[in-house]
Each structure stands twice: as structure tokens, then as C-alpha cells.
């Protein structure tokens, strides 16, 4: 029996990685805090609330498949926070496959989701391992709302809205910019159709009189997760932050990307986008406040059986993400997932179970479900 701690947080020095550590402490789950700089990891973890009561160790590791495989041998779960994932994710996924370890991450890159499904999904399934990228508030909480609607047979079209109040972290900003040169898609009649890079919409926000500007936000994870769900033929998701100036800024930057950056060689595109992202978010946002940082996940589900509308109001989207990651690791250390291979958080752990986890920490309220469809049961 390995004496290694069962969970590895890779990229613990970022905003979300700290929260994963904090919630693993809540679950009394031992973990390894891993990254490139052990000194930096210690400095960061020393500031995590209650960390003195956590059972953890620090590991300095190079970002190579070989080094990560050696680190992961004898552990059970990797919670990966090192992005952008299309650039840095393959080494971590390959290491998990080689070491026989479950993989989760917090990515917001639709092209990475597709790559995980196509390149590694079957390989993880063969080893009874979970490959679950995108366990995060901006995807999982919205999927919970969608899955609640899909409990009613006959609803096959999902219109998803995800909004939150706050500002993206440095890592999130880098991800947002990294996907601006990629194509992104929605699902129509079980096929991927490409969004226009300039797509946007004014959305009616449940629970308030004002509207909000929304964007496809890289296509999101939802169309990928529901692509192979026989209940769903159409899935379209939009979202963003409540702060309109941030959304207007993304629209302006998209125009610059289309007019200027996409014309550059690939290596120059990457540097230009990274520099632009760093100029907008170079520091660490303040810790979230449940009285300020709210979230709304809204799903209109429709089909021949009628319509349902599910809304989940929440707080602190980054805390939701940290908790979801910590719970996934906690679960996988004790029991197998409901589905192996490529799977969403809801497919792997159950949407009602994840809803209960978020509610138990006071991060979401009871879902509000309305409509004229006949509910199952």
C-alpha cells in the first residue's frame, strides 16, 4: 500500500488552487501541493485560512510527462489548475494515464474539452479511470440545472445562461484570451455548428430587471458534454460577468484579434494574447464576498413535452469551483465514479449529489423550476 497522500493539486499557487486546498482541508483529505517552485507554494499555502490544520506536503515538479508521472505514482486523483490547458494540459493527462490516476481540471477551453474526449477518453475508460475536465462553477452548476430539467422526458433542447459577479483571475483572463483564436461551437441536431466570433446577445437575467450582455464564452463545455447524450439534440450556452464594461472590453479585443492577431504566426499570436491578458489582469483579485459575488445559472429546456425553466442562484463562483474540485477528489478516494472515461462532473458524481454539496456549504440556493412540462414521478 502506498504511503503517498491520495490527492495532488497541481498549480496550487493560483487563486483557484488555494481554494481547492482550503476545501480539501474541510474534508480532512490529505493532499500534495505541487508546482514548479516549492518556495512559492509554501508562501501561498501559509496564507490559506486554517491550513495549519491540513495534512499536506509540498512537491516541486517539472512540467513534463515523466516528472508528473513519477509524482503521481501511488496517488489517486490529480486536480489540475495549470492552464491554458490546450497548451499545458497534455503532459498532465498523459501522466495520469501512465500512473493510473483520475484526472480533473477547471478549464474553460472548449477545444481542450474536445481534445480530451477524442484523444484520451477511450484510453481512460479502458483503465476504469475518470477524465473530467471542466469541473467548475461556470460549467458544472449550469449543468446541474440542465440535468434537473432533463429528468423530465421529452425535453431535448437546452438554452443555457451562466453569469457571475466579479472579475476573472489572472489564470482565467489568460484562458479567455487563449481561446479567442480558436473556433467554438454550439450543438444543433447532434452536430457542432460554429459560432461567429462576433456573436453576442442581451439576455434577460432571472431575478433582476436589468439585462446583461452575454457572449458564447468560447462555446463552453456544455455542448461537448451533451453531444453524446441521447436525450439532447440541441445545446447552446452563453454567459459572462455582470460587469458590462468587462464584456464590452472582450468584444473590442475580439475585433482586434480578428483584424490583427490572427494574421500573425502562431508563436507570435500566443505572445500577443498573453501580453494583452496580463495588461488587463496582472494581480490577484480580492477574496470573494458572499454578499457581493453572486452567480446565476439559468436553463430553458424545451421539446415536444413542453418547457421547463430552472434557475440556480449562487454566490462566489470561484469558491464553488474550489469546492467542486475538492469534493470530486474526496469522492474518488473512496468510491468509483458513476461513469469512467471522458465525463462531466454531473455524469461522474450525479447532479443531485453535486447540488447537495454546493448547498451544504451555503453556496447555492434551492433551484427554482417552472414550466408546463410533465415532471417525472
Amino acid at each position: 500500500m502506498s504511503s503517498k497522500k491520495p490527492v495532488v493539486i497541481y498549480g496550487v499557487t493560483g487563486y483557484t488552487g488555494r481554494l481547492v486546498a482550503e476545501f480539501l482541508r474541510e474534508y480532512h483529505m490529505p493532499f500534495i501541493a505541487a508546482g514548479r517552485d516549492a518556495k512559492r507554494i509554501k508562501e501561498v499555502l501559509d496564507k490559506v485560512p486554517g491550513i495549519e490544520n491540513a495534512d499536506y506536503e509540498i512537491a516541486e515538479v517539472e512540467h513534463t510527462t515523466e516528472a508528473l508521472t513519477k509524482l503521481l505514482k501511488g496517488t489517486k486523483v490529480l486536480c489540475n489548475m495549470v492552464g491554458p490547458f490546450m497548451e499545458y494540459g497534455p503532459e498532465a493527462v498523459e501522466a495520469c494515464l501512465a500512473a493510473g490516476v483520475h484526472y480533473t481540471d477547471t478549464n474553460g477551453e472548449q477545444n481542450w474539452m474536445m481534445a480530451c474526449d477524442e484523444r484520451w477518453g477511450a484510453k481512460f475508460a479502458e483503465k476504469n479511470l475518470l477524465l473530467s475536465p471542466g469541473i467548475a462553477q461556470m460549467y458544472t452548476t449550469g449543468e446541474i440545472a440542465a440535468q434537473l430539467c432533463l429528468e423530465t422526458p421529452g425535453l431535448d433542447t437546452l438554452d443555457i445562461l451562466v453569469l457571475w459577479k466579479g472579475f476573472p483571475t489572472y489564470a482565467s483572463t489568460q484562458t479567455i484570451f487563449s481561446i479567442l483564436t480558436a473556433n467554438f461551437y454550439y450543438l444543433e441536431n447532434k452536430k457542432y455548428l460554429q459560432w461567429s466570433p462576433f456573436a453576442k446577445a442581451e439576455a434577460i437575467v432571472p431575478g433582476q430587471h436589468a439585462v446583461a450582455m452575454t457572449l458564447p464564452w468560447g462555446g463552453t463545455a456544455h455542448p461537448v458534454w451533451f453531444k453524446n447524450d441521447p436525450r439532447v439534440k440541441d445545446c447552446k450556452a452563453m454567459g459572462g460577468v455582470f460587469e458590462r464594461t468587462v464584456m464590452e472590453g472582450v468584444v473590442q479585443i475580439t475585433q482586434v484579434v480578428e483584424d490583427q492577431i490572427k494574421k500573425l504566426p502562431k508563436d507570435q499570436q500566443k505572445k500577443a494574447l498573453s501580453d494583452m491578458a496580463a495588461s488587463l489582469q496582472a494581480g490577484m483579485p480580492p477574496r470573494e464576498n458572499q454578499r457581493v459575488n453572486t452567480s446565476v445559472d439559468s436553463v430553458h429546456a424545451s421539446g415536444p413535452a413542453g418547457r421547463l425553466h430552472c434557475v440556480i442562484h449562487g454566490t462566489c463562483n470561484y469558491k464553488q469551483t474550489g469546492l467542486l474540485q475538492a469534493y470530486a477528489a474526496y469522492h474518488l478516494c473512496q468510491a468509483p465514479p458513476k461513469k469512467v472515461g471522458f465525463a462531466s462532473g454531473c455524469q461522474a458524481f450525479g447532479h443531485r449529489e453535486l447540488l447537495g454539496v454546493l448547498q451544504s456549504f451555503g453556496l447555492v440556493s434551492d433551484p427554482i423550476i417552472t414550466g408546463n412540462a410533465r415532471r417525472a414521478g
Side-chain angles (χ1 to χ4, degrees), residues 240-320:
V241 298
F242 283 114
E243 180 57 51
R244 182 172 287 269
T245 57
V246 172
M247 302 301 288
E248 290 172 344
V250 175
V251 172
Q252 293 170 358
I253 290 163
T254 300
Q255 188 69 59
V256 173
V257 170
E258 292 296 315
D259 293 344
Q260 301 176 24
I261 293 180
K262 279 191 175 181
K263 298 176 183 178
L264 299 173
K266 286 291 184 182
D267 58 334
Q268 293 182 32
Q269 287 182 20
K270 174 185 169 184
K271 184 178 187 308
L273 288 168
S274 181
D275 290 347
M276 195 181 297
S279 71
L280 293 177
Q281 175 56 280
M284 186 73 67
R287 185 174 172 81
E288 291 172 305
N289 184 328
Q290 285 187 264
R291 294 169 60 84
V292 175
N293 300 108
T294 58
S295 65
V296 176
D297 291 87
S298 171
V299 176
H300 285 283
S302 61
R307 294 177 175 273
L308 286 178
H309 182 203
C310 179
V311 180
I312 299 177
H313 292 280
T315 65
C316 302
N317 73 301
Y318 282 103
K319 285 184 181 179
Q320 289 183 51

Side-chain angles (χ1 to χ4, degrees), residues 24-247:
L24 284 174
R25 180 193 70 84
E26 295 270 359
Y27 279 114
H28 301 286
M29 179 59 58
F31 64 90
I32 299 169
R36 292 176 299 175
D37 187 338
K39 181 180 177 183
R40 174 65 178 152
I41 294 172
K42 185 179 187 309
E43 290 173 352
V44 167
L45 285 183
D46 283 347
K47 298 177 182 178
V48 172
I51 198 65
E52 66 276 5
N53 298 317
D55 182 4
Y56 73 96
E57 62 188 58
I58 292 171
E60 188 170 279
V61 62
E62 294 180 0
H63 187 76
T64 65
T65 298
E66 294 74 21
L68 289 168
T69 300
K70 183 177 179 181
L71 172 68
L72 291 171
K73 284 287 187 181
T75 68
K76 293 185 177 180
V77 187
L78 173 68
C79 299
N80 186 17
M81 314 288 133
V82 178
F85 293 85
M86 199 65 185
E87 181 176 357
Y88 298 110
E91 292 87 349
V93 172
E94 291 284 0
C96 283
L97 195 60
V101 169
H102 299 293
Y103 175 92
T104 73
D105 71 33
T106 57
N107 93 93
E109 304 159 49
Q110 191 184 68
N111 55 350
W112 172 243
M113 302 289 296
M114 292 176 174
C116 284
D117 186 14
E118 295 166 4
R119 293 172 59 181
W120 297 291
K123 294 178 181 179
F124 270 71
E126 288 172 3
K127 291 192 172 184
N128 287 318
L129 295 173
L130 175 65
L131 173 63
S132 191
I135 296 181
Q137 180 274 329
M138 201 161 187
Y139 313 105
T140 305
T141 311
E143 192 202 359
I144 292 171
Q147 294 284 2
L148 289 171
C149 291
L150 291 172
E151 290 178 355
T152 298
L155 304 179
D156 59 13
T157 298
L158 300 174
D159 181 357
I160 301 173
L161 172 68
V162 180
L163 286 165
W164 51 281
K165 189 174 183 180
F167 291 92
T169 64
Y170 175 82
S172 294
T173 304
Q174 289 284 336
T175 294
I176 292 167
F177 278 73
S178 74
I179 62 178
L180 289 178
T181 56
N183 296 328
F184 38 95
Y185 303 87
Y186 58 93
L187 193 65
E188 186 172 296
N189 289 319
K190 304 301 291 185
K191 295 181 180 179
Y192 289 131
L193 296 184
Q194 187 176 336
W195 282 100
S196 162
F198 305 112
K200 62 179 181 178
E202 295 291 333
I204 298 172
V205 183
Q208 66 182 50
H209 292 109
V211 297
M213 179 190 289
T214 62
L215 304 172
W217 217 247
T220 79
H222 304 102
V224 185
W225 287 336
F226 287 112
K227 178 77 159 55
N228 296 318
D229 189 322
R231 301 171 297 174
V232 177
K233 69 178 183 66
D234 301 335
C235 179
K236 185 177 288 188
M238 300 187 81
V241 298
F242 283 114
E243 180 57 51
R244 182 172 287 269
T245 57
V246 172
M247 302 301 288

